[in-house]
Amino acid sequence: MKLNFSKEDFNKNKDNIMFNEDFVKNNFPNKRKENWKFTDLEKILNFKFKELSVYNKKNTITFNEKLQFDHYYLISINGNISKYNFGNGEKKFSSSSKFDTKDLLLKANKIHPFNNFTQDIKNDTLLAQNIAFADRGYNLELASSLSKPIVIYNIFKHDLENKFINISNEIKLLNSDITVIEYNIDYSNSSFFRSTFQIFDLNKSNLNYFIINKGSSKSYNYVRNKIKIDKSNYENYIFTSGTKFKKEDSEISLNSEDSSAKIMSAVFLKNDDHQEIQSTIRHKKPNCKSFQKIKNILKDGSKGIFQGKVHVSKEAQKTDAYQISKGLLLDQKSEFSTKPELEIYADDVKCSHGSTSGNIDEQAQYYLMSRGLSKKNATRLIVKGFLTDVISEIKNKDLKKIINSHLDDVINYEN
Amino acid sequence: MKNKELNSLKEYKYGFTTQIEDFKAPKGLTEETVRFISKIKKEPKWLLDWRLRAFKRLKSLKEPNWQKPKYPKIQYQDLYYFSSPKSLKDKPKSLDEVDPKLIETYKKLGIPLDEQKRLSGVAVDAVFDSVSVATTFKGELTKKGIIFCSISEAIQKHPSLVKKYLGSVIPLTDHYFATLNSAVFTDGSFVYIPPNVKCPMELSTYFRINASQTGQFERTLIIADKGSYVSYLEGCTAPMRDENQLHAANVELIALDDAEIKYSTVQNWYPGDEKGNGGIYNFVTKRGVCKGKNSKISWTQVETGSAITWKYPSCILQGDNSVGEFYSIAITNNHQKADTGTKMIHLGKNTKSKIISKGISAGNADNTYRGLVDINRKALHSRNYTQCDSLLMGNSCGAHTIPYIKNKNASSIIEHEATTSKINEDQLFYCNQRGLNQEEAVSLIVNGFCKEVLQQLPMEFAVEAQKLVSISLEGSVG
């Protein structure tokens, strides 16, 4: 695969000399790297793309398919924020404009959020590429709670065939309690590769972060999150059914006592979809909690992967960490692989993980059929039940409804 | 030169020396060493060629380095690859002829070599520094057609069996240590159970590392023919030594149709002193293949010794309906490190595997469970259950769980669970209240924690293992 870019694509205000052009061009991670053991990105990209060109266009559109509940929003086109509404009506956003009240700051990212994590850039092509090319994204800072959730409409449109989009985002919270919904809609009907690097910095805050896909997408997505948690609670809900390829890496540090992190995911994979969730949760201080629940339904030769690591340092006594990953395989071609990892250096802890994979319980199916359901409906019900386990954890009723109907669409359409 | 050495060996008389003199191959890992080992063991040409191929392959391989416990670089050129107690050149006909020093050492280790212990029903093929010393119970086993001898003997007497199966499970081209073993293996055990024979007793081998600077490269080959059954015990103890010693054995198990092999290990080699100096590197490759239908291989291990234990007894479940089991206790104390687990590779239909792993770390130790469960696309209706529990004692140790789980078909079910915790304080309090002191209470609780695995061991071993569990943790509570 060829990667096309010009000198102009390099970010101007950065010390770009550190990037070796040849390196940025060639080395996508492959399965020789432990983190990519189940996902050979090099192979996957080579299989799909003959060439990739760095995308640098910025567009705006009018968007009228907003969700039917009270919320604030950002509209982003191909990763570039174009409009926002924080209660004072919809406004236009340009990279130079600043939205600034006492407690809220929204601006375009000038400095790459990962600039301080460039130690191992030599072994990390995706990071090098993102720092070199990321020309879009937002920087959101909040110092008080918001009464309504923020929806980020992540829209992909226009001709993105064989494009390589690099995005970097940053969310900083202090004393705030918010819900953010990343709502991905792909109208482009093209295959492109999107690489997103995000930092979440939580201080005495609660963040509920949802990722929801509307409809299906032929895109290839890689997301890396760095999440720093200080006296805060972070909850991440992932509902990314329908994307061709997706790998979401989260590195979560629980940096002070009484913090918590939660990752919940329910996805329905089909048509050779390949999705991976990789999490590393570092318990650095005592009395922290982490909870992970990953559920995958797999069909038509799709691949679901979960690599979860819980690291408990010596100091982090009284840690409570739990992790469960479940795969439900609906046909012979699909695969579910997991690597649930525990690395523990403190003794007074409660850490456990579980992982199961299998097919539909025939007895349950039989039970339902003997009560008058067709085989199709019985399967649907079981599949729904399997995923509902995750949905029932959502506290926001509006969101619950939206996610429920999205999943229903996927399930009913398929079975 | 070599002939001269051989002649001089014959002059050895028992009792003249208290120290057993070693007979060593030239130092270093060279083609010459490989040829020397082969020659001194009077091996046929095919085996020499086989060794040389392994040696050639070895040159292009690199030592793996993905494991958790790191170790200082091993100077392969400074090791001796062959040494044997001199007295062995005139093969002893009975136990009385065996070097008394050896017998004494065995007695210390509690190996049932003498008449009294023979009644306990254990046949022993004792390996002392690479060469078999004595084999008992041959008569009874021969009557049933069972072959149980050293691998050197098997190469001479049953070449066709050895040729057919040697390297069939762990090929020459495997990883670094396995290939190293293939090139320079010195001795080991060979077992063949003919069709439809149930081996009437537990076969057992005790290994012991004695001569310093001698890497140990045993090779064990066990073949259970159709419908047969064998239970094999391997136990290890080693005396105090300062230098790190490498132990890279290969164990191959082959179970044909309806056969069952039960392989139990108690390993208590020198773990190094309290500061972490010395101790043995236990880098062993153990692999079994359930070749036939309805076959079964069961690994049980109690790992309490060694500075570094790095091994993954594995099962390749090739035959339909075959079963693989792995029961393990790994105890690490002081500066010991263990990176152990298993691989269950499901290829046949209706194959089942079960993994129970118990890790206990105390002191400054690190204990890692690393395992693979891979259910192949064609392994329909397969089943795996994995449970790995870790117990942490003290605040300087670590416990890690790294399972790789791959399910490639919908009709198979995998279940995996793992927990890590410390000793339950309520349980400790309960025991203390009833008059047990702290150490006794811990020992009792830990034994309870390990019970699921301990009960898989044959009787003789179970008692020993239980004691080992307590001894290994001595001084870790306080």
Side-chain angles (χ1 to χ4, degrees):
Chain A
M1 189 192 66
K2 224 175 103 191
L3 184 63
N4 301 323
F5 59 90
S6 66
K7 276 271 185 301
E8 286 83 66
D9 290 327
F10 274 104
N11 279 322
K12 307 222 163 37
N13 50 352
K14 284 193 200 89
D15 184 12
N16 285 325
I17 294 121
M18 64 196 280
F19 305 114
N20 180 327
E21 272 185 39
D22 289 334
F23 175 69
V24 168
K25 247 181 198 166
N26 300 319
N27 301 287
F28 280 96
N30 55 33
K31 68 176 170 202
R32 281 192 291 276
K33 291 206 162 125
E34 185 67 25
N35 284 348
W36 296 84
K37 207 158 193 110
F38 302 108
T39 301
D40 193 329
L41 187 64
E42 197 172 64
K43 206 169 143 193
I44 289 167
L45 291 180
N46 279 337
F47 184 73
K48 180 69 205 172
F49 298 103
K50 279 210 179 66
E51 55 172 21
L52 272 177
S53 314
V54 170
Y55 187 73
N56 52 18
K57 281 190 201 138
K58 294 185 178 176
N59 315 299
T60 51
I61 54 153
T62 32
F63 175 70
N64 298 317
E65 292 175 53
K66 297 187 187 83
L67 292 168
Q68 296 301 313
F69 70 105
D70 214 7
H71 62 274
Y72 300 135
Y73 60 82
L74 298 176
I75 297 176
S76 127
I77 309 293
N78 303 335
N80 189 41
I81 300 290
S82 83
K83 280 166 192 166
Y84 63 85
N85 182 350
F86 281 102
N88 300 324
E90 190 172 289
K91 301 218 168 101
K92 221 174 166 192
F93 179 84
S94 73
S95 58
S96 58
S97 77
K98 248 187 181 183
F99 179 90
D100 200 352
T101 65
K102 209 178 81 199
D103 294 334
L104 191 142
L105 175 79
L106 176 70
K107 59 177 185 187
N109 256 329
K110 280 267 153 52
I111 299 164
H112 196 281
F114 277 71
N115 249 10
N116 297 328
F117 303 100
T118 50
Q119 307 92 309
D120 39 39
I121 200 160
K122 287 212 171 67
N123 306 313
D124 196 338
T125 332
L126 288 164
L127 176 63
Q129 286 166 342
N130 198 277
I131 290 184
F133 302 131
D135 57 345
R136 55 199 68 216
Y138 60 85
N139 184 336
L140 180 68
E141 287 179 28
L142 266 174
S144 68
S145 298
L146 287 181
S147 55
K148 298 174 194 168
I150 305 173
V151 179
I152 299 167
Y153 292 104
N154 225 347
I155 299 153
F156 294 90
K157 216 176 172 176
H158 306 294
D159 182 25
L160 296 174
E161 195 67 40
N162 299 330
K163 293 289 188 258
F164 182 23
I165 306 177
N166 281 281
I167 305 166
S168 67
N169 298 323
E170 198 169 3
I171 293 184
K172 262 190 190 163
L173 302 178
L174 177 70
N175 295 319
S176 71
D177 187 346
I178 62 161
T179 300
V180 176
I181 300 126
E182 184 187 319
Y183 195 68
N184 294 307
I185 313 165
D186 187 356
Y187 297 117
S188 74
N189 194 30
S190 44
S191 302
F192 59 94
F193 181 45
R194 162 160 70 112
S195 159
T196 312
F197 280 63
Q198 306 186 115
I199 285 196
F200 298 86
D201 200 333
L202 277 61
N203 204 335
K204 297 187 202 112
S205 301
N206 295 324
L207 172 65
N208 292 328
Y209 194 91
F210 290 79
I211 308 166
I212 304 169
N213 278 3
K214 193 193 177 193
S216 62
S217 163
K218 290 202 280 181
S219 66
Y220 288 63
N221 296 319
Y222 174 71
V223 180
R224 185 169 323 161
N225 301 314
K226 235 183 218 311
I227 298 137
K228 294 183 268 182
I229 303 177
D230 273 291
K231 298 194 186 76
S232 303
N233 303 306
Y234 169 76
E235 293 187 14
N236 187 11
Y237 294 82
I238 303 169
F239 304 101
T240 49
S241 304
T243 304
K244 195 89 239 140
F245 170 84
K246 163 110 188 181
K247 188 174 192 297
E248 177 118 8
D249 292 358
S250 295
E251 197 189 328
I252 301 175
S253 306
L254 293 157
N255 290 332
S256 63
E257 283 191 45
D258 303 315
S259 300
S260 77
K262 195 170 177 181
I263 296 177
M264 310 282 288
S265 170
V267 290
F268 192 119
L269 304 179
K270 57 196 185 221
N271 307 334
D272 305 322
D273 287 358
H274 183 124
Q275 291 209 16
E276 168 166 349
I277 293 175
Q278 190 194 331
S279 70
T280 306
I281 300 186
R282 296 185 191 280
H283 285 260
K284 294 187 171 167
K285 289 278 146 63
N287 283 317
C288 289
K289 268 190 184 175
S290 69
F291 185 91
Q292 299 176 75
K293 191 184 265 183
I294 309 297
K295 294 217 162 179
N296 278 7
I297 309 245
L298 301 127
K299 239 194 117 175
D300 310 328
S302 58
K303 272 184 198 163
I305 297 140
F306 172 64
Q307 297 195 66
K309 183 174 186 173
V310 173
H311 184 283
V312 180
S313 43
K314 217 166 165 178
E315 215 182 310
Q317 296 292 359
K318 306 275 179 202
T319 287
D320 184 352
Y322 181 73
Q323 188 192 68
I324 179 103
S325 49
K326 290 190 175 183
L328 186 63
L329 290 91
L330 297 183
D331 64 29
Q332 289 300 336
K333 288 182 283 177
S334 304
E335 274 181 48
F336 184 64
S337 305
T338 60
K339 189 184 149 204
E341 210 177 319
L342 292 173
E343 189 169 351
I344 294 162
Y345 297 96
D347 64 336
D348 191 4
V349 297
K350 216 170 88 188
C351 294
S352 53
H353 65 215
S355 175
T356 64
S357 71
N359 54 345
I360 289 215
D361 184 354
E362 277 173 23
Q363 280 186 16
Q365 208 171 28
Y366 175 75
Y367 179 89
L368 292 170
M369 283 162 75
S370 70
R371 265 134 192 94
L373 267 69
S374 68
K375 193 171 181 181
K376 211 173 183 181
N377 282 336
T379 309
R380 269 182 204 171
L381 195 63
I382 293 167
V383 165
K384 188 70 202 296
F386 182 79
L387 298 178
T388 300
D389 199 16
V390 172
I391 298 162
S392 62
E393 300 264 342
I394 302 168
K395 285 163 218 127
N396 186 319
K397 276 184 191 151
D398 294 320
L399 267 175
K400 206 178 199 166
K401 229 167 109 186
I402 290 165
I403 290 161
N404 244 324
S405 76
H406 273 310
L407 282 175
D408 280 345
D409 285 351
V410 181
I411 294 165
N412 295 341
Y413 176 74
E414 270 308 309
N415 283 290
Chain B
M1 163 68 191
K2 278 163 200 158
N3 285 334
K4 210 173 168 188
E5 270 183 55
L6 279 172
N7 286 333
S8 74
L9 290 173
K10 287 178 182 162
E11 288 157 24
Y12 179 83
K13 280 175 188 135
Y14 303 125
F16 272 50
T17 43
T18 48
Q19 203 77 29
I20 294 171
E21 286 170 46
D22 284 343
F23 170 52
K24 281 175 177 156
K27 204 172 175 178
L29 182 58
T30 57
E31 192 178 318
E32 207 171 288
T33 311
V34 177
R35 283 180 189 279
F36 175 82
I37 293 168
S38 190
K39 189 172 180 187
I40 209 146
K41 299 177 82 64
K42 301 191 185 79
E43 285 174 0
K45 190 168 180 303
W46 65 265
L47 193 57
L48 174 66
D49 290 345
W50 193 76
R51 281 175 186 277
L52 288 173
R53 258 192 297 152
F55 180 72
K56 203 175 158 196
R57 170 83 189 174
L58 187 69
K59 282 194 259 183
S60 65
L61 285 177
K62 274 189 191 137
E63 258 177 88
N65 65 352
W66 43 262
Q67 83 287 10
K68 182 103 187 143
K70 303 294 178 208
Y71 53 89
K73 206 168 164 24
I74 297 168
Q75 297 301 328
Y76 293 96
Q77 298 305 339
D78 284 349
L79 292 175
Y80 290 97
Y81 288 86
F82 182 84
S83 76
S84 67
K86 284 187 170 183
S87 56
L88 278 177
K89 281 299 149 186
D90 288 354
K91 285 246 169 168
K93 305 285 180 303
S94 75
L95 287 176
D96 303 337
E97 288 178 32
V98 175
D99 190 334
K101 178 84 178 156
L102 280 183
I103 298 285
E104 198 186 315
T105 325
Y106 285 141
K107 271 184 184 160
K108 264 190 213 159
L109 298 174
I111 298 174
L113 257 188
D114 53 24
E115 188 64 36
Q116 193 187 349
K117 284 181 183 164
R118 195 183 289 183
L119 293 172
S120 64
V122 179
V124 173
D125 176 30
V127 173
F128 187 96
D129 265 69
S130 321
V131 173
S132 294
V133 181
T135 306
T136 49
F137 272 93
K138 270 228 165 114
E140 202 174 322
L141 294 174
T142 319
K143 245 187 263 165
K144 295 233 173 203
I146 294 167
I147 305 167
F148 178 35
C149 60
S150 74
I151 196 133
S152 321
E153 198 182 326
I155 290 162
Q156 307 299 338
K157 290 187 183 163
H158 313 282
S160 59
L161 274 175
V162 178
K163 198 172 176 180
K164 185 171 174 191
Y165 291 108
L166 189 74
S168 69
V169 189
I170 305 173
L172 277 181
T173 49
D174 222 85
H175 64 91
Y176 187 88
F177 295 106
T179 308
L180 175 66
N181 177 290
S182 298
V184 298
F185 76 87
T186 42
D187 213 333
S189 301
F190 177 83
V191 178
Y192 173 77
I193 315 288
N196 302 316
V197 170
K198 302 259 178 273
C199 184
M201 62 192 80
E202 315 273 355
L203 301 178
S204 102
T205 308
Y206 275 68
F207 293 97
R208 189 185 135 108
I209 298 175
N210 192 320
S212 65
Q213 280 187 309
T214 307
Q216 288 267 308
F217 304 97
E218 278 94 0
R219 186 108 198 174
T220 300
L221 183 58
I222 299 176
I223 303 145
D225 214 323
K226 288 173 186 170
S228 64
Y229 167 83
V230 62
S231 168
Y232 188 87
L233 317 180
E234 174 205 311
C236 324
T237 48
M240 299 280 276
R241 287 281 170 197
D242 277 332
E243 294 133 280
N244 285 312
Q245 291 186 305
L246 172 68
H247 188 95
N250 279 9
V251 176
E252 293 175 287
L253 311 184
I254 295 129
L256 300 179
D257 288 359
D258 304 299
E260 181 179 348
I261 302 175
K262 195 174 156 67
Y263 194 102
S264 316
T265 312
V266 172
Q267 184 261 114
N268 183 28
W269 286 333
Y270 178 55
D273 64 14
E274 278 163 28
K275 287 186 186 113
N277 297 322
I280 283 161
Y281 293 167
N282 183 19
F283 301 164
V284 174
T285 311
K286 288 182 171 172
R287 202 176 295 163
V289 57
C290 287
K291 234 186 162 105
K293 284 174 188 159
N294 307 317
S295 53
K296 181 177 174 183
I297 288 178
S298 167
W299 298 99
T300 309
Q301 59 172 25
V302 179
E303 303 282 331
T304 60
S306 295
I308 300 174
T309 300
W310 183 15
K311 63 180 221 183
Y312 311 97
S314 311
C315 294
I316 299 165
L317 304 169
Q318 198 178 327
D320 292 349
N321 310 320
S322 56
V323 178
E325 285 176 353
F326 176 75
Y327 300 94
S328 163
I329 299 173
I331 301 175
T332 49
N333 200 350
N334 298 321
H335 286 268
Q336 273 177 281
K337 301 207 162 25
D339 190 331
T340 182
T342 185
K343 289 180 188 176
M344 293 289 173
I345 295 157
H346 294 251
L347 300 173
K349 293 183 182 70
N350 300 316
T351 46
K352 289 186 177 66
S353 64
K354 185 175 175 185
I355 301 168
I356 307 280
S357 164
K358 307 275 179 185
I360 299 158
S361 18
N364 293 305
D366 250 333
N367 203 328
T368 307
Y369 167 83
R370 191 190 300 271
L372 169 73
V373 175
D374 190 347
I375 298 193
N376 235 271
R377 192 138 287 165
K378 284 179 182 160
L380 301 174
H381 307 290
S382 295
R383 189 89 173 77
N384 163 266
Y385 174 73
T386 306
Q387 185 193 339
C388 35
D389 298 326
S390 309
L391 203 58
L392 286 154
M393 298 166 82
N395 202 12
S396 316
C397 50
H400 320 298
T401 316
I402 312 174
Y404 294 77
I405 305 161
K406 294 181 190 172
N407 190 355
K408 293 179 193 151
N409 76 63
S411 56
S412 301
I413 300 173
I414 301 182
E415 284 173 282
H416 171 100
E417 54 182 322
T419 60
T420 305
S421 59
K422 67 170 188 172
I423 289 183
N424 190 320
E425 275 169 16
D426 292 349
Q427 289 174 358
L428 265 183
F429 177 72
Y430 183 92
C431 293
N432 288 340
Q433 207 191 22
R434 269 143 192 87
L436 296 175
N437 67 30
Q438 195 77 354
E439 210 149 87
E440 286 166 341
V442 168
S443 157
L444 187 71
I445 293 166
V446 169
N447 263 306
F449 176 77
C450 300
K451 203 179 163 191
E452 262 177 293
V453 176
L454 288 173
Q455 67 194 9
Q456 295 295 331
L457 288 169
M459 254 291 274
E460 307 89 320
F461 256 29
V463 179
E464 195 181 325
Q466 254 182 41
K467 278 185 202 148
L468 254 182
V469 169
S470 309
I471 292 166
S472 313
L473 289 169
E474 258 171 22
S476 63
V477 209

